[in-house]
Amino acid sequence: MKTRQIERHRLVPHTVDGETELVLDTETIDVPAPPRDWDQVVRTAVTIGAVVLVTVSLTWTTASVGALLAMSTVAVVGYAAGIAFDATWIMCMGAEWLLRNAPERAALPRKAGHWALAVSMAAVLAHGHYIAHSWGVGAIGALVSALAKSGWMIAMRVHARPLDPRTQQWVAKRRAAVDGQLALIPVRRELQRAQHLIEAEQHALAAHGPADPDRSTDRPDESDDEPDADVLPLHSGAVTTKDAVRIAWDSGIRDDDAVIRYVAKATGRAPSPETVARYLRALRIGA
């Protein structure tokens, strides 16, 4: 049986001059070594091989398509654009891997990856035909991308953990609940920002003050006087001083003090006697 050595640490009592303390003791012991996991070794080798194939394909396609595009534009721009041909289907395969537990969502990047691969292979095929005047050379060059994508698909299958239909539904329901909570985060933030804007606007208007000069006086405690019986009661603050004077006048109240008491009750604050007198003079002149 194969063994391997490990260090074990433990606290042991140690006495010096009659004083005992716990100190750390280290010892090396032999333990059975687990057998090599050849499945994991092969899985790692497949993954490394797929990464190497994708890297070779990306380099080859960039060189081929970049050389083709460099004939009509600046070389640096042409080669930079050539990266997009293989990078597109590589990105789609990455998205497909991330969505492996959501088949309905993974269908779109899978289909887009196939189309991107076809475009990339067509571009390499055109470059090979243009350089060597042979469709065969172009086809062989185009197969590099196909082989790389096939290798990556195999690596994905090696790492995949298929779910049965019931478990797949369970995962979909749990993901939908969590995704709903995540989707509501920006919505709540937007609503909070809007509410804060409304509150800030209201505070700004309140600090600026009302446009009616009759409303500039501070509001004292409401008067305990009851309104005249002939005048309909109004909600405090529902009318302006001018409106309250008009209502009192139309109700037959002519005494200045009585009008002031009614206006105070109707508006919820004590009016300026000069303002009430001015409004009454205007009504008397009109009468």
Side-chain angles (χ1 to χ4, degrees):
M1 179 188 303
K2 292 184 178 180
T3 60
R4 60 189 179 95
Q5 292 185 339
I6 62 172
E7 289 185 350
R8 187 173 64 178
H9 306 280
R10 59 177 180 173
L11 293 174
V12 296
H14 183 67
T15 304
V16 176
D17 295 335
E19 298 290 339
T20 302
E21 297 288 347
L22 292 177
V23 298
L24 188 64
D25 179 63
T26 302
E27 62 177 346
T28 303
I29 61 174
D30 293 331
V31 296
R36 180 178 294 275
D37 188 356
W38 290 106
D39 289 345
Q40 183 61 33
V41 173
V42 175
R43 187 179 293 110
T44 303
V46 170
T47 304
I48 295 175
V51 172
V52 171
L53 285 176
V54 169
T55 304
V56 171
S57 174
L58 181 62
T59 305
W60 169 254
T61 303
T62 301
S64 300
V65 180
L68 187 64
L69 296 178
M71 299 177 184
S72 59
T73 185
V74 182
V76 176
V77 177
Y79 282 98
I83 299 176
F85 285 80
D86 262 12
T88 302
W89 64 259
I90 294 173
M91 181 184 66
C92 291
M93 293 193 68
E96 182 183 354
W97 169 255
L98 293 176
L99 300 174
R100 60 190 180 278
N101 291 327
E104 67 285 352
R105 298 177 61 188
L108 178 60
R110 183 184 302 110
K111 184 181 297 183
H114 292 328
W115 281 104
L117 175 64
V119 172
S120 178
M121 294 177 64
V124 176
L125 178 64
H127 174 263
H129 177 70
Y130 183 84
I131 296 298
H133 303 286
S134 172
W135 290 109
V137 175
I140 294 175
L143 287 177
V144 175
S145 296
L147 292 174
K149 183 173 175 60
S150 299
W152 191 253
M153 291 176 62
I154 293 173
M156 289 175 59
R157 289 183 176 273
V158 168
H159 290 278
R161 297 293 182 268
L163 302 177
D164 61 272
R166 291 188 177 183
T167 305
Q168 184 67 56
Q169 295 179 35
W170 183 90
V171 172
K173 289 181 178 295
R174 299 290 295 180
R175 179 180 288 113
V178 175
D179 289 346
Q181 295 177 6
L182 292 176
L184 287 177
I185 292 177
V187 175
R188 292 193 183 98
R189 290 176 179 173
E190 181 181 358
L191 294 177
Q192 289 177 356
R193 285 194 298 266
Q195 186 63 37
H196 291 164
L197 289 176
I198 294 174
E199 294 175 356
E201 180 72 12
Q202 292 175 347
H203 289 317
L205 294 176
H208 183 70
D212 190 350
D214 296 333
R215 295 178 179 269
S216 60
T217 57
D218 294 335
R219 175 179 295 190
D221 295 337
E222 294 185 358
S223 175
D224 295 332
D225 295 338
E226 294 295 332
D228 293 349
D230 296 335
V231 183
L232 294 176
L234 296 174
H235 294 290
S236 176
V239 295
T240 63
T241 300
K242 185 176 182 179
D243 295 334
V245 172
R246 167 64 70 177
I247 295 172
W249 179 270
D250 293 339
S251 301
I253 303 176
R254 298 293 184 268
D255 182 68
D256 290 3
D257 293 336
V259 173
I260 292 175
R261 288 197 303 271
Y262 175 74
V263 172
K265 190 65 175 179
T267 61
R269 60 184 177 278
S272 173
E274 292 79 8
T275 302
V276 174
R278 185 175 69 253
Y279 290 147
L280 287 174
R281 284 196 301 272
L283 292 173
R284 290 190 180 99
I285 294 174

